[in-house]
Amino acid sequence: MTKRSDDYTRTLTKYVIGFLASLALTMVAYVLVSGRLLTGDTLLLVIGGLALVQMIVQLFFFLHLADESRPRLRLVSFGFMASILVIIVAGSLWIMYHLNYNMMGQSPTEKDNYMTSQKDKGF
Amino acid sequence: MSAIQVAEQKLLDLKTSTGFWLYLMTDVILFASLFATYAVLHTASANGPTSREIFELPIALTETIILLTSSFTCGLALLALKQEKLRQLVIWLGITYVLGIAFLTIELTEFSNLIQAGHGWQTSAFLSAFFTLVGTHGLHIFIGLLWLLIMVVVLIKRGFTPKLKRQLGLFALFWHFLDLVWIFIFTVVYLMGVIPS
C-alpha cells in the first residue's frame, strides 16, 4: 500500500511540475513577442527553442516517455517519426525556398524587380 | 482474477497502447506535412490580409492556457482511474470536457469572425494553409470530445471495466498529444505570425 501511495504522489508531482513549467514557458514566449523584448531572427530562434523545451517537458511529465520499460518501442518509434518530420519540414522549406527564382518571403515589388532583372539577363 | 488473467490483461494493455502510440506518430507526420505547407505559404497572402493583420495574440494565448489546463486535468483523471475513485474520475473528466468545449468554441468563433470579415480560406494560399492546419487540429479535438463523452456515459452506466480503463488510458495519450501539437501551432502560426519583419 505504501508503494502504491508513493507512486501516486510521484505521478501527481510530475503532472503539477509539467503543468507549471508549460504554463511558464508559454507565458515567457508570449511576453517576449507581445512586449517586443527581442526582434528579428533572435526572437524567432528563442520562441522556437521555448516550444521545443516545452515539447520535451510534456513528453517527460505528461506522456511519461522516460518511464517506459524495455524494449523502448515508444521511444524508438518517436525517434523514427522525428527523423521523417525533419525531412518533410526542413526539406520542403529548403526546396521551396530555392524554387520559383527564390521568390518566397519577398514582397510583390521585390518579386517584380527580381523577375524583371532575371528577364533582362535573358533567363 | 487469477494470476494468468491479470498477466493477460497487462499484455493486452501494453499491446493496445503501443499500437495507439504508433497511430499518434503517424498523425504527427500528417501535422508535419500541414506545418510544412503553412511554412511555405505563410507569406503568400495574395491581395488578402497578412498574418500580422488578422491574428489576435490574447485570444490565442487564452486557447493555449485552456488546452494546457485540460491536458493537466486529464492527467489527474488518469490518476483517479489508477486509484479506482469513480467520483473523482468523473469530475476530472467533466472538467476536461468543459475546457475542451471552451477551446473549440473560441476557435470556431475566431474562424467565423474571419470568414464574415471576408477572410475565408478562398482568399489566399496563406489562409487556405491556415484553415487547413488549425482546422485539422480542431477536428481532432472535436473527435476527442465525442470519444470522451461516450466513455463518460459508459463509465456512469457500467462502472470500471478492463476495456474502459484501457480506452481512458489511450484517450489521455491522445489528449496530451493534441496539446503538444497546439504548442507548435501557437508558436509557429500565432506568435511567429505577428512578429514584424
Side-chain angles (χ1 to χ4, degrees):
Chain A
M1 197 61 211
T2 22
K3 191 183 167 283
R4 260 196 116 168
S5 65
D6 270 5
D7 215 32
Y8 174 80
T9 324
R10 205 171 49 235
T11 318
L12 182 64
T13 319
K14 270 185 139 183
Y15 278 122
V16 173
I17 292 174
F19 178 58
L20 293 179
S22 301
L23 213 55
L25 287 164
T26 304
M27 287 314 294
V28 169
Y30 177 77
V31 170
L32 282 178
V33 173
S34 66
R36 290 162 201 259
L37 298 179
L38 290 170
T39 48
D41 289 347
T42 334
L43 182 56
L44 288 178
L45 279 176
V46 170
I47 60 173
L50 285 171
L52 282 179
V53 172
Q54 191 169 341
M55 179 190 81
I56 293 167
V57 165
Q58 294 204 3
L59 281 174
F60 274 90
F61 292 102
F62 284 174
L63 289 159
H64 312 295
L65 199 58
D67 302 345
E68 195 190 5
S69 55
R70 285 169 188 280
R72 295 174 172 267
L73 287 177
R74 288 190 186 185
L75 196 64
V76 170
S77 57
F78 184 84
F80 177 66
M81 176 280 286
S83 64
I84 301 279
L85 186 147
V86 169
I87 293 170
I88 291 179
V89 176
S92 302
L93 283 171
W94 186 29
I95 292 170
M96 294 310 287
Y97 200 80
H98 288 86
L99 218 61
N100 283 340
Y101 306 109
N102 225 345
M103 288 199 300
M104 216 178 107
Q106 295 179 349
S107 71
T109 344
E110 281 173 332
K111 274 177 204 166
D112 272 356
N113 292 338
Y114 188 77
M115 290 300 278
T116 318
S117 72
Q118 290 294 311
K119 193 170 168 255
D120 290 343
K121 280 190 216 162
F123 286 103
Chain B
M1 268 197 284
S2 72
I4 290 180
Q5 276 176 317
V6 171
E8 272 178 349
Q9 206 55 242
K10 255 192 153 170
L11 186 62
L12 193 58
D13 285 0
L14 186 67
K15 273 184 184 168
T16 41
S17 73
T18 307
F20 194 77
W21 180 269
L22 288 180
Y23 150 68
L24 289 182
M25 294 302 102
T26 57
D27 220 15
V28 178
I29 308 234
L30 165 72
F31 278 110
S33 326
L34 295 177
F35 268 110
T37 311
Y38 180 82
V40 167
L41 296 175
H42 76 287
T43 50
S45 51
N47 289 320
T50 63
S51 57
R52 272 176 227 83
E53 291 161 8
I54 54 168
F55 290 161
E56 290 170 59
L57 269 196
I59 293 179
L61 180 70
T62 317
E63 285 178 284
T64 309
I65 291 173
I66 288 175
L67 205 59
L68 187 60
T69 313
S70 90
S71 195
F72 177 57
T73 56
C74 181
L76 296 181
L78 207 60
L79 266 180
L81 175 75
K82 275 180 187 152
Q83 294 207 312
E84 307 222 342
K85 288 181 178 163
L86 187 62
R87 235 177 79 90
Q88 264 191 34
L89 174 61
V90 172
I91 290 171
W92 286 125
L93 288 180
I95 295 174
T96 307
Y97 188 81
V98 170
L99 289 170
I101 292 282
F103 172 86
L104 211 55
T105 313
I106 296 175
E107 182 160 276
L108 289 178
T109 314
E110 188 197 1
F111 281 4
S112 90
N113 283 345
L114 280 176
I115 292 167
Q116 269 166 20
H119 308 325
W121 50 78
Q122 312 95 321
T123 311
S124 61
F126 152 62
L127 281 168
S128 301
F130 166 77
F131 275 103
T132 311
L133 172 60
V134 182
T136 305
H137 179 269
L139 184 66
H140 277 76
I141 294 278
F142 176 73
I143 292 170
L145 287 173
L146 215 58
W147 184 14
L148 179 61
L149 187 67
I150 293 168
M151 282 192 302
V152 169
V153 171
V154 175
L155 186 68
I156 293 170
K157 272 192 151 175
R158 295 189 198 156
F160 293 110
T161 63
K163 192 181 169 194
L164 193 63
K165 278 187 189 171
R166 203 158 52 231
Q167 285 201 351
L168 280 167
L170 301 185
F171 172 78
L173 276 183
F174 187 63
W175 208 244
H176 292 321
F177 154 78
L178 285 182
D179 185 36
L180 204 48
V181 173
W182 179 261
I183 300 304
F184 285 92
I185 293 184
F186 178 62
T187 304
V188 174
V189 176
Y190 290 98
L191 287 183
M192 292 185 179
V194 298
I195 293 174
S197 55

